[in-house]
Amino acid sequence: MAFLGTAVSRVLRSRAPLPPLCRAATRTYCAPSSSPPSLSGEQQTSTKSVPYQEQQTSTKSVPYQKTLKVEEGGSGGPTKPLPCAADAVVIGGGSLGCQTVYHLAKMGMTNVVLLERDRLTAGTTWHTAGLLWQLRPSDTEVELLAHTRNVISRDLQQETGLETGWIQNGGLFIASNKQRLDEYKRLMSLGKVYGIESYVLSPGETKDLYPLMNVDDLYGTLYVPKDGTMDPAGTCTTLARAASARGATVIENCPVTGIQVGSDDLGVSRVRAVETPFGTIQTPCVVNCAGVWATKLGDMAGVKVPLIAMHHAYVVTERIEGIQNMPNVRDHDASVYLRLQGDALSVGGYEQNPIFWDQVCDKFAFGLFDLDWDVFMQHIEGAINRVPALEQTGIKSTVCGPESFTADHKPLMGEAPEVRGFFLGCGFNSAGMMLGGGCGRELAHWIIHGRQRDMYGYDIRRFHHSLTNNNRWIRERSHESYAKNFVVFPFDEPLASRNMRTDPFHQVLQAQGCVFQERHGWERPGWFNRDGPAPVLDYDYYGAYDLPRNTNYKYNQLLGKEYTFDYPPHHDVIKDECLTCRNSVAVFNMSYFGKFFLTGPDAKKAADWLFTADVNKAPGSTVYTCMLNKKGGAEADLTVSRLEPGPSHLPLAPESNGDAYYLAIGGGVAQHNWSHIQTVLQDQQLRCTLLDQSEHMGMISIQGPKSRELLQEIVDADLSNEAFPFSTHRVVTAAGHKVRAMRLSFVGELGWELHMPREVCVSVYQAVMAAGAKHGVCNAGYRAIDSLSIEKGYRHWHADLRPDDTPLEAGLAFTCKLKSQIDFLGRRVLESQKAEGLRRRIVCFTIDEKVPMFGLEAIFRNGVPVGHMRRSDYGFAIDKQIGYGYIRHPEGGVVSPDFVRSGEFSVERMGVRYRATAHLKSPFDPQNKRVKGIYPTPQEQLHTASV
């Protein structure tokens, strides 16, 4: 018998070292590659893969009550005849495919087909660990997980009378440092909003609960009694039967060989049919739930699917006395999990040096790789430390199979931007069982009715199109997200695949100490380090694969100092940037913004339908507006500027003989906005052109009481209130160059944005900084913008404004042309909501005690949980912690202003409640005087300070 603590080390000593990235010979139904891949994914010809000297058992023991494993795949033909047509075809019979077809049928789409090339679960689902943890640092994911749990533990059994194999043995999160325990306390507070039972336990209490655990190095644990374990085979079998009972058709042993795509009258690519060796199914909708094989399926339709396959493993131990009925354990800092398996444990985790599976085999079914102990040993060490009894416990079997991983460790879902009717439900990063129920429901709703809730974090459109087929980006980011799976601090940034998109100011700002953030591939300023430059270096894979680590890596060191849930160490730097903006003038580089032109014969119709505000004012006007979905949810907020017709002067102006608009959109969501606009134009059959000039233009924003004095020195136009009012724009000459100046503010101050051709950016910036020197001008980054904007009450899309928030709920009714007769997308929903009253409403909260908050803190009214913070930051001008969250009436009633005013509110952070003051308007400049250039006199400031 091999013991975890001794036999493994002997195996390691006796075996020759293996080459990186391809250390294991595969045991599959297709031959392994004879040469290992390099870091770039290219094949090497001089190095041979070394097989194991000690072979594992020929039949892998997977820890489930039931298994769907069959010999050599399945029979020679499909298990059912293929229909000629279907409303939707789901491809892939794993967790996501089965959940999606089940929910489609449950929502009424019964003419739906699931195609599985082998048998259900044959790809990656059959060997998954099947863990379900209810608490995650995302309100959306908490809701998705709750639905999965309900489907697995309750709904399927009630519908079919069959057991799914659900075991509720609880979950235990391990904290071996203060920061990790703080994270778990945050999760506990969020769980109270959703009614999820959880407890933070001391080391002693943890020992009482789990007597075999070593607690000597623990700060504490988070115990969630109703977490549990799922059986993939039992679950998928029951889902398929339930879907079939509602009219869906589940066909196994039927591989897909092609996707037919055609163009409609407007030239839009759409799904037409699915091809198989046994016939063709005509369909307008394909759902790619093919897991590791999703990229190949996407290629059939011309759709980019940015995921990568890796080996993912666990071992199953022999019997352990006293382990029965213990909760599943996740030790994030050791990157290991311990899953209860009857009277044994399954041990797995996420390593720093995962093995990539570059040559994905089409015929791989119910197959496994041999386990590479060199890679896996790090998990054994962590597991033995946590449960010392494992050192003398035998290894019953090893399970090492393929899983698909993505650049941000989040799934890929939604309609592909390249082809209408081609939906993604793949890339689940080994969490397909856990997220399957929630995501299957959302995907089904997406297909039939449109997106139901905020799924932007999973939407394929969160990635810019320049990245989704970039092999370096996919590989590096997927590796880092895998290796850093358990790092969840609020100010963390990736190190992989940086500097993919840089603006003209990048070098000059880096020389001044700019610490960059990455968004949408762009490098944007985060904050400015007083100790000089901190450049981002090429990715070093954290020293894995025998690559040298980056040494004296200043940028990485700065990130590491911010791994905390306290105020970050650079809090005072951000304070100085904010207060310089409030009291004098600051310059923000916002070049990463999306910059689109909307033109064409139907441009005015499109603008009326797309935008909630009336943007068809006189040329020279700029309007802040939202774009909605058909449920009234905010798909975007942006500014739209009406342009004069005229010849092309790109990048400042497009050619237009009629209506033309300039759209400025937050750069992190530019692809999402672009795709939303294109989809609406296609659905409405509007003849328009959408032109992207984001890469060809830069943009700086000059904000603060001294901004007019500064800019007047370098701009040839009159910048007075009368000549250049707020919310207007014009082309002016700045430092000798033509730029588009817009009088706008995202920080609540007097200010202008300068949009300009890429080649003149540095020259204009240098002139701005020279003119501002006597005013004490400073550079400022997005960390300052986050603070300044929340202090003023401005929304951040996908934080306090999301696709499941309406403008009325978000306090943005002023952006909606409801008093006009102009129809717009989502208007009917808003009119009904306005008539019925709001069932939830965004509220501003300030906390007098100086405690850091970042969002997800629970909100209580009169002691009852009514919501959670969406976003929180420190407001330096008001010198208070400030946050925004949506609250509901605990009895389901209308949330009126009186309901807000009459309640006593508190906010819970890490289990401690703090008294909070609720505001229906921002407490900073509630009369909006500052953006109009109206500032208090020194005497008024003195009076205010004394009060």
Side-chain angles (χ1 to χ4, degrees):
M1 178 186 295
F3 293 102
L4 288 181
T6 55
V8 171
S9 4
R10 289 200 300 271
V11 171
L12 293 177
R13 288 195 298 270
S14 65
R15 185 156 30 92
L18 304 180
L21 288 187
C22 191
R23 299 173 182 258
T26 56
R27 180 181 289 116
T28 71
Y29 292 120
C30 59
S33 172
S34 61
S35 55
S38 67
L39 284 173
S40 64
E42 298 175 352
Q43 291 294 307
Q44 301 171 345
T45 58
S46 60
T47 306
K48 296 294 183 180
S49 179
V50 181
Y52 279 122
Q53 296 176 4
E54 179 174 297
Q55 295 294 323
Q56 305 299 318
T57 55
S58 59
T59 301
K60 302 294 185 181
S61 174
V62 180
Y64 302 112
Q65 297 173 4
K66 291 173 268 186
T67 179
L68 296 173
K69 189 170 181 178
V70 294
E71 294 299 322
E72 295 294 325
S75 60
T79 54
K80 294 178 183 176
L82 271 67
C84 296
D87 293 333
V89 176
V90 180
I91 302 173
S95 172
L96 254 296
C98 292
Q99 288 279 11
T100 301
V101 75
Y102 164 75
H103 283 92
L104 284 169
K106 196 168 184 177
M107 292 181 191
M109 182 182 280
T110 56
N111 185 24
V112 58
V113 176
L114 184 148
L115 297 179
E116 164 54 45
R117 62 182 174 83
D118 196 271
R119 294 287 186 178
L120 295 182
T121 79
T124 63
T125 297
W126 75 280
H127 59 71
T128 188
L131 297 163
L132 191 147
W133 319 97
Q134 294 178 87
L135 290 177
R136 298 279 278 255
S138 160
D139 58 330
T140 297
E141 290 190 355
V142 168
E143 294 170 8
L144 296 174
L145 292 166
H147 184 69
T148 297
R149 189 183 181 284
N150 289 338
V151 169
I152 302 296
S153 67
R154 183 192 66 199
D155 297 353
L156 284 175
Q157 185 174 0
Q158 291 177 353
E159 291 181 35
T160 66
L162 300 174
E163 294 282 349
T164 64
W166 165 254
I167 300 172
Q168 182 179 297
N169 60 310
L172 194 63
F173 283 5
I174 304 301
S176 54
N177 55 65
K178 177 184 179 299
Q179 291 82 4
R180 190 67 70 184
L181 189 59
D182 286 347
E183 176 197 346
Y184 296 157
K185 290 177 180 177
R186 280 168 48 82
L187 294 181
M188 179 187 67
S189 292
L190 177 62
K192 293 178 181 179
V193 179
Y194 289 96
I196 297 174
E197 183 183 1
S198 66
Y199 307 92
V200 171
L201 305 181
S202 69
E205 292 169 326
T206 302
K207 187 74 173 179
D208 291 340
L209 175 67
Y210 203 120
L212 294 181
M213 182 171 291
N214 168 33
V215 300
D216 293 343
D217 59 346
L218 295 191
Y219 273 64
T221 56
L222 178 67
Y223 175 50
V224 186
K226 295 182 181 179
D227 285 353
T229 313
M230 300 168 286
D231 172 12
T235 297
C236 290
T237 301
T238 310
L239 286 166
R241 291 188 181 183
S244 298
R246 293 177 180 272
T249 303
V250 178
I251 304 175
E252 298 173 274
N253 296 326
C254 187
V256 171
T257 56
I259 307 291
Q260 293 181 13
V261 176
S263 298
D264 63 15
D265 294 341
L266 294 178
V268 178
S269 296
R270 296 182 182 273
V271 167
R272 298 298 189 210
V274 174
E275 299 172 349
T276 80
F278 311 104
T280 298
I281 304 175
Q282 304 296 318
T283 183
C285 178
V286 163
V287 191
N288 183 351
C289 297
V292 165
W293 296 268
T295 298
K296 292 189 175 184
L297 191 66
D299 289 341
M300 295 179 186
V303 171
K304 296 174 287 187
V305 183
L307 58 77
I308 197 164
M310 299 183 195
H311 294 199
H312 195 56
Y314 58 87
V315 300
V316 184
T317 73
E318 297 286 357
R319 183 177 185 275
I320 303 172
E321 183 63 36
I323 204 71
Q324 296 86 345
N325 302 318
M326 290 296 101
N328 299 320
V329 175
R330 196 158 193 175
D331 190 334
H332 289 96
D333 292 302
S335 193
V336 67
Y337 66 80
L338 307 174
R339 174 198 184 275
L340 183 69
Q341 173 54 38
D343 58 0
L345 288 177
S346 297
V347 180
Y350 292 81
E351 53 277 350
Q352 293 282 315
N353 54 338
I355 300 171
F356 294 93
W357 190 29
D358 289 304
Q359 303 300 317
V360 175
C361 176
D362 291 341
K363 296 181 180 179
F364 190 102
F366 293 109
L368 293 170
F369 308 110
D370 285 321
L371 182 65
D372 186 337
W373 285 103
D374 287 343
V375 173
F376 194 80
M377 191 59 188
Q378 57 196 282
H379 305 315
I380 298 299
E381 294 166 355
I384 290 174
N385 175 62
R386 192 54 52 220
V387 180
L390 288 172
E391 187 167 14
Q392 298 301 318
T393 300
I395 303 168
K396 184 178 181 181
S397 62
T398 66
V399 179
C400 181
E403 291 281 3
S404 57
F405 294 91
T406 63
D408 57 1
H409 217 72
K410 301 292 183 185
L412 307 175
M413 293 181 62
E415 190 173 28
E418 300 96 333
V419 178
R420 299 297 304 275
F422 191 99
F423 285 80
L424 300 177
C426 52
F428 275 78
N429 304 277
S430 77
M433 283 296 299
M434 183 162 51
L435 291 168
C439 288
R441 177 185 64 178
E442 295 307 314
L443 192 52
H445 198 282
W446 214 327
I447 292 164
I448 298 173
H449 306 293
R451 187 169 55 185
Q452 178 175 226
R453 69 180 68 233
D454 171 43
M455 295 295 290
Y456 175 73
Y458 292 5
D459 193 330
I460 182 61
R461 298 175 298 173
R462 70 188 184 272
F463 297 133
H464 191 258
H465 64 83
S466 68
L467 302 175
T468 52
N469 66 344
N470 186 307
N471 290 332
R472 174 199 159 198
W473 176 80
I474 296 169
R475 193 180 191 86
E476 290 187 359
R477 278 297 175 84
S478 298
H479 171 271
E480 183 178 33
S481 294
Y482 183 101
K484 289 178 65 176
N485 179 38
F486 302 135
V487 178
V488 293
F489 296 105
F491 300 119
D492 192 30
E493 293 290 332
L495 299 178
S497 288
R498 294 293 295 268
N499 299 318
M500 302 293 287
R501 304 173 76 192
T502 58
D503 61 56
F505 305 103
H506 185 263
Q507 291 298 326
V508 68
L509 295 184
Q510 181 173 278
Q512 297 178 72
C514 184
V515 179
F516 286 97
Q517 301 172 331
E518 187 277 340
R519 299 293 183 273
H520 221 44
W522 284 108
E523 297 293 318
R524 75 175 193 182
W527 55 282
F528 286 81
N529 179 39
R530 293 167 178 164
D531 297 327
V536 180
L537 305 180
D538 289 342
Y539 187 49
D540 62 3
Y541 283 85
Y542 293 89
Y545 316 119
D546 299 323
L547 293 173
R549 290 294 305 264
N550 289 321
T551 58
N552 299 318
Y553 193 176
K554 191 172 182 179
Y555 181 84
N556 193 22
Q557 293 167 0
L558 290 172
L559 288 184
K561 292 177 180 178
E562 297 204 326
Y563 281 3
T564 177
F565 290 102
D566 293 326
Y567 289 120
H570 315 294
H571 194 61
D572 60 328
V573 179
I574 297 159
K575 173 182 178 179
D576 288 348
E577 292 180 14
C578 291
L579 294 183
T580 300
C581 179
R582 290 277 184 245
N583 298 324
S584 182
V585 61
V587 177
F588 300 88
N589 173 21
M590 303 175 74
S591 297
Y592 93 120
F593 259 49
K595 310 170 196 73
F596 307 153
F597 290 113
L598 177 64
T599 62
D602 292 333
K604 184 179 183 300
K605 290 181 181 179
D608 283 341
W609 181 248
L610 276 166
F611 306 125
T612 58
D614 183 3
V615 301
N616 284 301
K617 301 181 182 299
S621 62
T622 297
V623 178
Y624 173 69
T625 184
C626 294
M627 291 191 292
L628 308 183
N629 51 46
K630 59 186 179 182
K631 292 182 175 295
E635 292 289 336
D637 68 330
L638 66 158
T639 59
V640 178
S641 300
R642 184 89 181 271
L643 303 177
E644 292 273 9
S648 173
H649 291 290
L650 290 174
L652 290 180
E655 179 180 2
S656 172
N657 297 320
D659 298 295
Y661 308 87
Y662 176 50
L663 284 54
I665 296 168
V669 295
Q671 183 70 53
H672 173 270
N673 283 213
W674 174 276
S675 299
H676 173 74
I677 294 170
Q678 291 282 30
T679 298
V680 172
L681 296 179
Q682 293 163 12
D683 290 346
Q684 297 297 309
Q685 298 186 328
L686 295 171
R687 297 166 298 160
C688 295
T689 299
L690 191 62
L691 181 64
D692 187 355
Q693 290 291 296
S694 304
E695 304 279 354
H696 305 291
M697 297 176 71
M699 189 256 278
I700 56 175
S701 182
I702 300 92
Q703 299 288 325
K706 301 295 184 182
S707 59
R708 178 184 282 129
E709 294 178 48
L710 185 159
L711 284 171
Q712 198 64 80
E713 292 190 28
I714 68 166
V715 171
D716 66 348
D718 182 356
L719 301 181
S720 65
N721 284 337
E722 296 73 23
F724 209 137
F726 182 72
S727 220
T728 62
H729 70 93
R730 69 184 63 173
V731 174
V732 301
T733 300
H737 302 285
K738 292 293 185 183
V739 306
R740 186 175 299 280
M742 296 186 178
R743 187 170 167 192
L744 296 169
S745 179
F746 195 49
V747 297
E749 298 293 336
L750 173 69
W752 280 261
E753 296 174 357
L754 302 182
H755 300 239
M756 59 198 113
R758 189 178 184 95
E759 59 271 15
V760 309
C761 285
V762 173
S763 178
V764 173
Y765 167 79
Q766 290 172 339
V768 167
M769 297 305 287
K774 59 179 170 290
H775 302 295
V777 67
C778 79
N779 291 301
Y782 270 83
R783 291 277 285 276
I785 288 179
D786 289 343
S787 170
L788 294 163
S789 62
I790 198 171
E791 192 171 51
K792 184 63 187 79
Y794 293 157
R795 308 289 181 255
H796 275 194
W797 193 84
H798 200 238
D800 35 24
L801 181 65
R802 304 195 309 200
D804 48 2
D805 303 322
T806 72
L808 304 188
E809 294 168 338
L812 298 177
F814 68 92
T815 68
C816 301
K817 52 197 174 205
L818 292 174
K819 294 181 179 179
S820 75
Q821 299 303 310
I822 304 170
D823 200 7
F824 59 89
L825 180 60
R827 175 171 180 146
R828 298 291 177 266
V829 176
L830 300 192
E831 289 176 333
S832 297
Q833 191 176 60
K834 184 177 180 180
E836 295 170 3
L838 300 179
R839 302 290 166 165
R840 63 177 190 142
R841 175 190 297 271
I842 198 168
V843 177
C844 171
F845 296 95
T846 54
I847 295 90
D848 290 334
E849 294 188 57
K850 291 188 177 181
V851 288
M853 297 183 182
F854 306 98
L856 299 183
E857 294 81 11
I859 301 169
F860 292 80
R861 180 184 181 273
N862 298 342
V864 178
V866 292
H868 66 273
M869 292 283 210
R870 285 281 191 84
R871 183 161 74 104
S872 185
D873 213 318
Y874 200 81
F876 294 102
I878 63 173
D879 198 23
K880 289 182 180 180
Q881 189 72 32
I882 186 170
Y884 282 81
Y886 289 80
I887 66 170
R888 296 180 180 272
H889 196 296
E891 297 176 0
V894 171
V895 182
S896 65
D898 285 342
F899 176 82
V900 177
R901 295 188 191 101
S902 62
E904 292 186 2
F905 289 91
S906 60
V907 175
E908 181 173 310
R909 169 191 180 269
M910 300 181 187
V912 179
R913 294 187 193 176
Y914 300 89
R915 184 180 179 279
T917 302
H919 308 265
L920 290 169
K921 284 188 175 182
S922 165
F924 177 79
D925 189 26
Q927 296 179 321
N928 291 321
K929 290 183 176 181
R930 298 171 76 96
V931 295
K932 301 170 186 175
I934 305 171
Y935 285 91
T937 65
Q939 291 77 13
E940 290 172 330
Q941 288 178 320
L942 183 62
H943 173 71
T944 301
S946 65
V947 172

